[in-house]
Structure formats: C-alpha cells, structure tokens
Amino acid sequence: NLTTYKAWKESLPNWPITTSICLDESILSYDDLSYAIEYRLIDVLNVKVGRLGGLIQTRAAILRCREAGIPYWIGSMVESGISKILHVQLAALGDTYMAGDLSDSSRYFEHDLISPEISFTDGTMQMPNGAGLGVDVLDNRIEEYTVEKRTL
C-alpha cells in the first residue's frame, strides 16, 4: 500500500536506503504512479499491461515515467502470447531501464495461442514484423482450449 509505504518512509529521519526502489504490484494505475512520483516513493517502475489496465493506461504510465525521469522496464505474468506479445513490443521501445522479464511461450504452454510463438535464443528475440501485434492469433487453438462458449 503506497500510503503505508509513504508513512514508513517519512518516519525515518534519514532515509538509509541507497538502492533504487522499483515498484511493481504497488502501482495498479496511472494515479498510483503519479502519487509515487509526487512523494518520491519510486525510483524505477516495472510495467505490466494487465496490471495497469490496458495499453492506453500503459502508454500514459510510460509517458509519465519519461516526463518525470523515472526509468521503467517491462515485466510479464503467466499469460498467453496474445498479451505477452504486447510486453515484447514494449520492451523493444529502446528506452527501457533493463532487459524485460519475458519468457518463451513454451515456458507456460505446450502450444500457445499465437504464431509465431514467442521464443528467445541466447536472451534475444527476433521481433515479429507483421501488421498489428506482428503475430497471428490462432482461432482454432482458442476453440480447442475453450471450456464453455455462449453466443449472444
């Protein structure tokens, strides 16, 4: 909780920590990020599209970090390639603080929902260059993994 962290930090007469503080799960929105910047609670941000609420909010957070001089880097969660490819694309922006916390599709899924699947060789990945996300969503795989379907 950011307000608890703020109170704790303010209770120390001389902030003894010289290591950069990277906030991740504490930043759930643009407003959280702005609060953390305003009260100097953050040195680095870990960006996750799903945690921030989508691409529009993620873009706003990255722009806010750039504006405030806060380095950022890209993380990901246990997720299919449909969302993980967004993180791959963001990590390729070129001004991230460090390499992203990204992994191959096969780490979590035998067969992912996109083609080509996300794959790293010696820590690097060939960026897809197709339209949109650069990958194809495999509708037949989505159908295969669907547990229940309702048509409205």
Side-chain angles (χ1 to χ4, degrees), residues 1-74:
N1 171 306
L2 290 173
T3 54
T4 303
Y5 173 43
K6 178 181 176 282
W8 174 72
K9 186 175 178 181
E10 289 172 345
S11 73
L12 300 171
N14 294 313
W15 181 247
I17 298 174
T18 58
T19 302
S20 295
I21 302 295
C22 177
L23 295 183
D24 186 344
E25 305 307 327
S26 298
I27 305 297
L28 301 176
S29 67
Y30 180 87
D31 289 343
D32 288 344
L33 176 59
S34 293
Y35 180 91
I37 290 170
E38 179 181 349
Y39 292 103
R40 297 179 164 185
L41 304 176
I42 185 171
D43 299 311
V44 179
L45 175 66
N46 177 271
V47 173
K48 293 177 183 165
V49 174
R51 189 192 70 237
L52 289 169
L55 281 175
I56 291 172
Q57 295 85 344
T58 298
R59 179 180 182 271
I62 288 172
L63 292 174
R64 181 74 175 99
C65 283
R66 288 173 177 165
E67 173 186 287
I70 301 292
Y72 70 94
W73 63 290
I74 309 301

Side-chain angles (χ1 to χ4, degrees), residues 81-146:
I82 295 171
S83 59
K84 189 170 283 207
I85 197 66
L86 299 171
H87 295 101
V88 169
Q89 297 286 4
L90 289 170
L93 287 174
D95 68 339
T96 57
Y97 174 67
M98 57 189 255
D101 177 18
L102 305 168
S103 60
D104 291 1
S105 294
S106 63
R107 180 171 184 180
Y108 300 112
F109 304 100
E110 183 177 355
H111 301 287
D112 203 345
L113 304 177
I114 61 169
S115 179
E117 292 189 1
I118 297 169
S119 177
F120 292 84
T121 304
D122 297 324
T124 62
M125 177 187 171
Q126 181 67 38
M127 289 299 299
N129 59 5
L133 296 175
V135 297
D136 293 318
V137 174
L138 303 175
D139 293 331
N140 61 324
R141 286 252 173 86
I142 293 174
E143 193 68 35
E144 178 184 330
Y145 292 136
T146 299

